[in-house]
Amino acid sequence: MHQRPTPPTAPTVTTGRRRMARKALLAASALGVVTALMAPVRAGAAPAPAAPTAATPLAANGQLSVCGRQLCNASGQAVALNGMSTHGTQWYAQCVTDGSLDALAQDWRSDVLRVSTYVQEGGYETDPAGFTARAQKFVDAAHARGMYAVIDWHMLTPGDPNANLARAKTFFTAMAKKYKNHPGVLYEIANEPSGVSWSAIKSYAEQIIPVIRAEDPDAVVLVGTRAWSSFGVSEGSDESEVVNNPVNASNIMYTFHFYAASHREEYLNTLDRASDRLPVFVTEFGTQNYAGEGANDFTMSQRYLDLMKRKKISWTNWNYSDDHRSGAVFKTGTCNGSTWAGTGVLKEAGVWIRDRIRQ
């Protein structure tokens, strides 16, 4: 659904105990002391600031879970997280800094950061330990600022997630071990499956979810759907294949991706129908075409956002970087500087999406 860019040429316990530990972390976050436990995002950078006086999204909502078709907070109330996705961290780690995350949490008022670890394309497979550490650093930085973190296993090519099954087991074992006592994570186990049947994706999910649950039984798991997470629409199917053959696991949601300039009524209607039957999280969308470039279609994008707001569907926008494409929110070169807040450093799409997150 979304064609990824080439690399830039510029430089670039028991369950009860786990729950008690998660509550302790929430209390610490509310007091602003979690930041003292975290290494700076960039060597030599100033420590993250203390939490603001108002409760952060993480402190206010606590451990999330799926209740019915909704994402719910620790009090059982339906919530919708709104935020941003990083670009591939093998290319744009320089866009995920103390300053940029301060801006995302405080100026943009984001609830969530999606941390995208590509598997191929110069990503995880080239340095598993290094990319695991990098993902953990960015997740920790989101938590230090009171945001949730979506841990995105960004498989794209090959489109069959089973091709990376062993790598996924290693990665999610490491991540679940680290965050088993933390309420601030959601695990996205397959970004955009393509060219593969729903039954094969379901089989993959039913092998990965127990790996996560063995370490972290409480966190929400997000399952990619067929045809670039379109519920199969981009390959001539629809959500019925998931409705009729759901993943055999609890506390999960299914992902949907769209790019408003390319994906019109059929996709919007699919999201509407699917969310009537299934718990859905839109972990990636853009206001441009499916390649994340070209003119923005804000009118169609707003129709999607209105639907998601009405139905309390959480979303993260692609992407929080200064890639040259129109879908990257920052003007090219911003990530080599030190100014992140406000609209002066933003492209047209960045101004628009920042305003929507702040609403």
Side-chain angles (χ1 to χ4, degrees), residues 306-354:
D306 289 345
L307 172 67
M308 292 189 289
K309 183 176 182 179
R310 176 170 59 85
K311 303 185 84 168
K312 291 189 181 297
I313 299 172
S314 297
W315 51 258
T316 54
N317 176 258
W318 184 268
N319 69 78
Y320 203 62
S321 84
D322 64 353
D323 177 23
H324 69 277
R325 290 168 174 80
S326 55
V329 296
F330 291 113
K331 294 176 180 176
T332 302
T334 297
C335 295
N336 294 324
S338 59
T339 301
W340 303 99
T343 59
V345 294
L346 300 178
K347 295 176 185 172
E348 186 182 24
V351 174
W352 191 86
I353 199 65
R354 171 183 176 271

Side-chain angles (χ1 to χ4, degrees), residues 25 33 72 74 76 123 129 132 139 142 153-154 162 185 200 204 239 253 258 274 278 285 288 292 316 325 338 345:
L25 276 171
V33 300
C72 292
T132 298
V139 170
W153 182 244
H154 207 84
N162 292 286
V185 295
Y204 165 83
E239 76 285 353
M253 308 186 85
F258 69 86
L278 301 163
F285 79 92
Q288 316 77 29
T316 54
R325 290 168 174 80
S338 59
V345 294

Side-chain angles (χ1 to χ4, degrees), residues 19 61-79 148 183 185-186 218-221 250-253 279:
R19 289 174 177 159
N61 290 299
Q63 178 65 53
L64 303 176
S65 63
V66 179
C67 51
R69 295 184 301 275
Q70 300 294 145
L71 184 66
C72 292
N73 65 16
S75 300
Q77 299 172 322
V79 296
Y148 288 90
V185 295
L186 303 90
D218 298 324
V220 173
V221 174
S250 61
N251 209 27
I252 66 170
M253 308 186 85

Side-chain angles (χ1 to χ4, degrees), residues 182-264:
H182 203 294
V185 295
L186 303 90
Y187 301 93
E188 184 177 0
I189 61 174
N191 166 57
E192 286 185 345
S194 64
V196 65
S197 68
W198 167 245
S199 62
I201 300 167
K202 177 177 181 286
S203 173
Y204 165 83
E206 290 174 354
Q207 294 176 77
I208 292 297
I209 292 171
V211 170
I212 295 171
R213 295 279 187 249
E215 301 292 340
D216 188 348
D218 298 324
V220 173
V221 174
L222 309 176
V223 179
T225 59
R226 186 155 76 91
W228 298 277
S229 285
S230 71
F231 281 110
V233 176
S234 290
E235 292 175 352
S237 186
D238 60 34
E239 76 285 353
S240 62
E241 62 186 18
V242 181
V243 172
N244 295 330
N245 189 23
V247 171
N248 185 22
S250 61
N251 209 27
I252 66 170
M253 308 186 85
Y254 298 92
T255 68
F256 184 80
H257 295 178
F258 69 86
Y259 284 80
S262 295
H263 302 131
R264 315 300 291 180

Side-chain angles (χ1 to χ4, degrees), residues 93-180:
Q94 72 274 19
C95 297
V96 190
T97 70
D98 285 335
S100 74
L101 293 184
D102 288 347
L104 185 62
Q106 298 167 19
D107 179 47
W108 291 50
R109 305 172 195 165
S110 176
D111 303 314
V112 57
L113 175 71
R114 181 187 189 227
V115 177
S116 295
T117 300
Y118 276 70
V119 187
Q120 275 74 45
E121 300 183 64
Y124 176 88
E125 69 174 359
T126 68
D127 181 9
F131 277 98
T132 298
R134 185 174 297 182
Q136 291 174 345
K137 180 170 65 172
F138 295 155
V139 170
D140 289 347
H143 289 164
R145 289 158 177 81
M147 292 186 289
Y148 288 90
V150 172
I151 300 170
D152 165 33
W153 182 244
H154 207 84
M155 51 71 52
L156 186 69
T157 304
D160 183 354
N162 292 286
N164 285 297
L165 179 62
R167 293 186 180 100
K169 287 181 176 180
T170 299
F171 176 76
F172 282 112
T173 295
M175 300 303 278
K177 279 184 176 179
K178 180 171 174 63
Y179 297 109
K180 62 186 178 183

Side-chain angles (χ1 to χ4, degrees), residues 20-94:
M20 291 176 65
R22 288 171 188 252
K23 290 180 180 179
L25 276 171
L26 278 173
S29 179
L31 293 170
V33 300
V34 164
T35 55
L37 304 177
M38 307 301 179
V41 175
R42 176 183 289 171
T53 303
T56 65
L58 181 54
N61 290 299
Q63 178 65 53
L64 303 176
S65 63
V66 179
C67 51
R69 295 184 301 275
Q70 300 294 145
L71 184 66
C72 292
N73 65 16
S75 300
Q77 299 172 322
V79 296
L81 305 181
N82 301 156
M84 293 299 302
S85 174
T86 72
H87 205 315
T89 59
Q90 75 275 42
W91 300 318
Y92 290 97
Q94 72 274 19

